[in-house]
Structure formats: C-alpha cells, structure tokens
Amino acid sequence: MNSILSVHTVRFIILILLQVLILNHINFLGYINPYIYILFIALYPIKNNRITIIFLSFLLGMIIDIFQDSGGIHAGASVFIAYARPVFLKFAFGTMFEHQILKFNTIEFSSKLTYFTLLTFTHHFVLFTLEIFSFSKIILILEKTLFSSIFTILLSIILTIIFSKKIK
Amino acid sequence: MQQIINFIIRFKNFLLFLFLFCIALTFTILSHSYHTSKFINSANFFTGGFYKSFHHISRYMNLNSQNDLLAEENRALRDLLYNTESLDDSTYIDTASYKNDYRVYSAQVIKNSYSITNNILTLNKGKKDSIQQDLGVISSKGIIGIIEKTSANYSSVLSILNTTSRISAQLKKTNHFGTLVWEGVSPEYIKLIDIPKIAPVQPGDTIITSGRSSIFPKGIQIGIVNDFKLDQTENYYEVQVKLFNDMTDLEHVYIIENLHTEEIKSLQRESADE
C-alpha cells in the first residue's frame, strides 16, 4: 500500500512540474499545448474511494491554474472528468471494469486508446469552454479541443508505453 | 433528519463534485472580470518565487537574441542623445517642464504567456521598487500591457493579448484614434476598432499610442496596418494591426510612470462633477 501511495505522490508532483515548466510553453502553431497532467486522473487506481480522486483532481487542477493565471478552468475540467470517469471506464473496458479486475498495466492497446480519447476530449472541451466562455465562439472552442486533444493523446500513449515496461 | 443524512451519504460523490465544480466556476468567472482575481494569480509569493528560480535557468537559452535587442536599443538611445545635444546648441528647450513628465523603471519578464485568451505576464519588480497598479509596460519595440496587480517583489501585467484589454491608439500620420482589442486568435495581430470612416487608412501605416489615457505617453509604436475593412455599422473601420513586438519572445521591459496621473485624474473628476 505504501509503495502505491508513494508512486502516485511522485507522479502527481512530476506531472505538475512537467506541465507548468515545459508543456505550457510549447505553443505549437501558436496555441496548441498538450495537457498531460490528466494522466494522473486517468491512471488512478479504480478500487480506491471516489471522494479521494475527485478531491485530488480539484487540487491538481487548482495548482495548474495558479501557475497559469487562468482562474479555475483546469480545476473545473479535472473535477468533471474525475466524476465522469466510471462512465468512460465502463464504455471502454466493459465487464472487466464491472468485475473490478482491471489493471492499467495489462489492458489491450485498443481499449486503452478508447479510454484516453474519451477522457481527453471531455476534459479539453470543458477546459476550453470555460476558458473562452462564450458560445458565439464555439468553432474556436472545437478547433482548440480537437488539435490539443490529438497532441495530448499521442503524448499520453507514448508516456504510458515507456513507463509500463519499467513496472514489469 | 435521518432521511436527509441518508440522502447526503448516498449522493456524497455527486455533492462533492458539484461543490468543487462550483468553486472552480467561481474562480473562472472572477478571473474574467478586471481587477478581481485576488489570490489565484502568479504574482504571489510561492509561484512568483518558483518562476523566478526557473527563469534563472531559462534566460541563458536566449541570451544572444536579448543581447542583440539591447545593443540595438543602446544604439537608438545614443542616436537620440546626440541629436538632443545638437539641438541644444541651436534652440532653446524648456527643460523644467518636459524632463519630469515620465519616470521609467526597467524590469524582466519572469513568466510570459500568449496562447490562452486572457494572457497575464509576471514581472520581477513590485511594490518595493515603487511599482503601482495601472502603470504602462513597454519593450524597446512597442507596448506590452498595463500593470494589473503588485505584490512586494512581483507584479502581474494585463497583456495587450487579453480579450479584456482596451488601449487607446491612433494613426501616426493623422490624429484619428480608436481602441485596441484582441480577439484571442493570433499573438502576431491585434485589432484597432472605432477608427472613423473619414480617416485615410492605408496598408503599411504606422499605429502609435494616442496619449489620451494618461497611462502611456503619446507616440509609442505599436505596429503597422496589415488589412482593414468597414465594420457592421459601416461608419467605422476595423483595422488589423501587425505588432512590431514579438509577444512570444519578451525579456527586458520598461515600466512607465506618468508623474501627472493624479493631477490629470483629479482635474477630470472636477470637470465631470460640475
């Protein structure tokens, strides 16, 4: 239990540092940034209490917000996906999730991709809706969501592939 | 009572989610209105110090280009200096009235931002260096923004690349003035609205600050006209301005204090009261 706890604490801190020091400054084509910190929410163990993950996601988003001067947009989006996560899990993994035998190290690539895609698109859509905050610019919102999501999904798949080998 | 407690226990996940989401929403709405984001900003002690220490490392990356910029500016200043001296010989300048209009402080950008819709910068000067709210910020090439908040050692700047920013600007060749706004799309272009239709706008014209707001002195360069068209009412031009400043590459900036702000404001207030 202790080692699991420390793994997640370390992941929490490393993802925040990676996000605020490097990834927020990429600005590919002017405005496309990956928001890789949601990996923490995606890979959080399923058996744990849901209250904990909702609260931790809020904390994670708030820290990113304070560094980015963006009010509460990351906190809002993170809390939203943390709450909606069981729905995505059920859609992507089906019975494996219902029988509580799911482990992120051993799942198939295709269902992992579905899961990440759903999570990332939802997160980015809520994020950019809150950031731009006007429905007359819905095209801009969708455009930013699409491009940033592709970037985030690619990076999270690569990161999980790299780090899953070490755990085995 | 029992039922209320049961209800809370049954829906505790949802209630917690709703509660935290509302907090996040409140912060978002607060940050959208000018001057109200009290403590969620990067000029506070913890994040300011953090960015400063990281800035020490990252500034080495672009030392070369920043040196070039400074050298270029030194040259321009030297030009100005020699020109004034030669003027002194031939004409009389009333030094008592013009030398003390503005005071300039230099500062460094420790956190730049240009990709979101409401961009805010952080500088390494604060109240200790007598920086106050509403001072103008410029670089050697053009305007950058207005000081929004100050802490003891840091200050945050409302960038011109912010959808809530409004700055008065005019054409260099005539005195037709309008308002600078940003639409949140590209950090290279900014929009100048409310220019009267009668103004002779041409692509390639220079846009400068108008000096009407008492924040910026008149004549600081902003950019050149890239494109223009009539707005929906067909009475005003909407001008697309290409900025001289590369807002994605900022390091050394200058903060401008107008020493007569109080006087101008009190005069305007008196006139408005009458």
Side-chain angles (χ1 to χ4, degrees), chain B residues 73-237:
Chain B
E73 193 181 6
N74 275 341
R75 192 198 58 74
L77 288 177
R78 221 167 267 275
D79 253 15
L80 207 66
L81 192 70
Y82 293 146
N83 287 337
T84 341
E85 271 173 11
S86 63
L87 273 178
D88 268 344
D89 294 338
S90 52
T91 52
Y92 170 70
I93 294 173
D94 185 5
T95 47
S97 69
Y98 100 3
K99 270 199 172 163
N100 296 324
D101 278 355
Y102 294 96
R103 190 178 288 155
V104 178
Y105 308 89
S106 79
Q108 287 189 340
V109 177
I110 59 170
K111 182 221 150 195
N112 192 6
S113 152
Y114 48 86
S115 57
I116 54 178
T117 47
N118 292 312
N119 294 295
I120 289 170
L121 279 53
T122 311
L123 306 182
N124 66 347
K125 291 279 168 73
K127 281 186 191 127
K128 278 188 188 161
D129 311 284
S130 63
I131 306 295
Q132 308 148 19
Q133 200 180 31
D134 287 341
L135 301 190
V137 182
I138 62 167
S139 77
S140 50
K141 284 183 184 167
I143 63 169
I144 287 170
I146 295 169
I147 299 275
E148 187 184 6
K149 250 189 296 294
T150 53
S151 63
N153 293 309
Y154 306 102
S155 51
S156 63
V157 179
L158 189 81
S159 164
I160 48 170
L161 301 184
N162 190 313
T163 47
T164 58
S165 153
R166 297 280 181 277
I167 291 170
S168 173
Q170 68 168 61
L171 294 175
K172 193 177 183 183
K173 59 180 182 185
T174 63
N175 276 326
H176 296 101
F177 68 96
T179 311
L180 281 180
V181 294
W182 191 57
E183 293 190 316
V185 185
S186 161
E188 279 176 58
Y189 297 101
I190 194 164
K191 195 163 257 189
L192 179 63
I193 56 168
D194 294 345
I195 289 279
K197 200 162 105 179
I198 198 166
V201 186
Q202 292 289 328
D205 282 357
T206 309
I207 304 292
I208 57 173
T209 53
S210 70
R212 278 178 177 77
S213 59
S214 80
I215 292 175
F216 293 104
K218 184 175 172 168
I220 294 178
Q221 298 199 321
I222 297 171
I224 57 170
V225 175
N226 189 53
D227 193 13
F228 65 99
K229 62 170 195 287
L230 286 175
D231 67 1
Q232 284 172 339
T233 58
E234 304 226 322
N235 288 324
Y236 294 100
Y237 280 129

Side-chain angles (χ1 to χ4, degrees), chain A residues 17 21 27 30 33 50-51 54 58 62 66-69 71-73 76 79-80 83 130-131 133 137 144, chain B residues 13-14 16-17 20-21 23-25 27-28 31-32 40-42 47 50-51 54 111 114-117:
Chain A
L17 291 180
L21 294 182
N27 296 316
N33 275 340
R50 274 182 77 195
I51 292 239
I54 292 178
F58 179 76
M62 209 67 237
I66 294 174
F67 273 108
Q68 255 206 312
D69 285 315
I73 60 173
V79 168
F80 189 85
Y83 180 72
L130 287 177
E131 184 194 317
F133 221 70
K137 290 184 181 162
K144 277 188 154 188
Chain B
N13 288 331
F14 180 69
L16 181 70
F17 159 70
L20 293 177
F21 196 72
I23 294 180
L25 211 60
F27 282 142
T28 310
S31 78
H32 274 263
I40 306 294
N41 74 63
S42 64
T47 47
F50 196 81
Y51 272 129
F54 184 67
K111 182 221 150 195
Y114 48 86
S115 57
I116 54 178
T117 47

Side-chain angles (χ1 to χ4, degrees), chain A residues 94-106:
Chain A
T95 50
M96 248 165 89
F97 167 63
E98 276 161 23
H99 293 296
Q100 302 266 314
I101 49 163
L102 184 59
K103 280 203 176 115
F104 286 112
N105 292 332
T106 56

